[in-house]
Amino acid sequence: MLDEAITALAAAGGTAVVQAAGTEAWTGFRQAVARLFGRGDDQRASAALERLDGTAAAVSTADGGGAEQVRSHQRALWQARFEGLLESVDAPERDSVVAALRALVAEHSPSGQSGGGEVSDNSFNGPTIMQVGNGNRQDNRFGNGA
């Protein structure tokens, strides 16, 4: 069983896969993910490349209202795959895989880029306020008498 921080990292990995699919960064990103899953085994790396290509195809062909559902499904699949990878290795190797996954997520996710401010892949139901930036202050009041 993985702790919360590792599970969150796996979720961030799933999000990074979906966000990178179809972008200019995809080729390098998919190779890095395949190396992570392969861990020196060409067959495992090849299998990861096939799954990554399937994800890229699914994300790029999704349209309209179903696009977010496809993206959400792919994020969940990749989170589960990263969790499975982390659970399948022994403790010393897990530390190495965790470090590699953290680096991959930091390098390829919008939040890891300086000057970002990009927010994507969110769903809100009801009153929502979102603020992006550093050193901001925001006071929100919802409901009667706000």
Side-chain angles (χ1 to χ4, degrees), residues 5-38:
I6 301 296
T7 300
L9 178 60
T15 298
V17 168
V18 172
Q19 287 179 337
T23 67
E24 291 178 15
W26 180 246
T27 301
F29 180 82
R30 75 185 272 279
Q31 290 296 329
V33 172
R35 278 191 305 274
L36 181 63
F37 275 90

